[in-house]
């Protein structure tokens, strides 16, 4: 629930591992090309302040430039995570205020600006922890 993905289905792969022992991954794009792959996690929140964490699996994570966007009460924030150096752990993307009205989310795309199809990028779990 709350997870949506887009882009060509032929480019998506699944594997074991990650927070729930299943994950989705793909290869990277060097720029925003037509039909790039993306995913969005939409939480069901009550209004408040939350710290947002992403789980970086140990496998399928060779990118150093995973670009996570957080949509929150005050707009959008970009956080770049080196997945290759953070495998097997939760990584904080920061603490934000959320209205809890359904239009807020975390997202990740395969656009890393690294050489085309040279890296793997994993799409796993996101959690919002009240602060």
């Amino acid at each position: 629930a709350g997870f949506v993905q887009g882009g060509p289905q032929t480019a998506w792969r699944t594997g074991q591992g990650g927070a729930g022992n299943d994950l989705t991954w793909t290869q990277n794009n060097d720029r925003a090309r037509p039909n790039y792959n993306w995913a969005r996690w939409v939480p069901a929140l009550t209004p408040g302040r939350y710290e947002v964490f992403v789980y970086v699996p140990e496998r399928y994570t060779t990118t150093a430039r995973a670009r996570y966007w957080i949509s929150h009460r005050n707009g959008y924030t970009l956080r770049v995570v080196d997945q290759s150096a953070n495998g097997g752990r939760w990584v904080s993307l920061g603490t934000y205020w959320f209205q809890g009205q359904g239009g807020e989310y975390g997202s990740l795309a395969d656009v890393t600006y690294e050489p085309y199809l040279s890296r793997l990028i994993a799409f796993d779990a996101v959690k919002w922890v009240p602060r």
Side-chain angles (χ1 to χ4, degrees):
F3 179 73
V4 179
Q5 67 186 58
Q9 289 301 311
T10 56
W12 287 106
R13 304 286 183 265
T14 58
Q16 292 185 326
N21 201 31
D22 62 345
L23 58 87
T24 304
W25 65 276
T26 190
Q27 290 180 283
N28 73 302
N29 265 300
D30 57 347
R31 57 189 164 88
R33 298 171 179 269
N35 297 316
Y36 64 90
N37 289 306
W38 58 270
R40 183 175 286 178
W41 295 263
V42 181
L45 301 174
T46 58
R49 192 166 179 256
Y50 294 84
E51 187 171 3
V52 181
F53 292 88
V54 294
Y55 189 80
V56 179
E58 293 181 1
R59 300 174 64 204
Y60 311 109
T61 53
T62 62
T63 181
R65 307 263 321 144
R67 299 165 52 87
Y68 292 89
W69 285 95
I70 304 95
S71 168
H72 50 83
R73 182 179 78 180
N74 298 319
Y76 299 92
T77 301
L78 171 66
R79 294 288 185 239
V80 178
V81 173
D82 182 348
Q83 286 191 342
S84 68
N86 287 289
R89 54 177 255 169
W90 288 97
V91 176
S92 175
L93 301 181
T95 302
Y96 310 93
W97 287 96
F98 292 88
Q99 294 176 336
Q101 297 177 351
E104 298 160 319
Y105 56 84
S107 69
L108 175 63
D110 66 2
V111 180
T112 66
Y113 299 99
E114 295 161 306
Y116 183 61
L117 300 179
S118 67
R119 304 288 190 273
L120 304 180
I121 184 167
F123 298 72
D124 196 32
V126 179
K127 67 180 176 180
W128 284 258
V129 178
R131 298 291 187 219

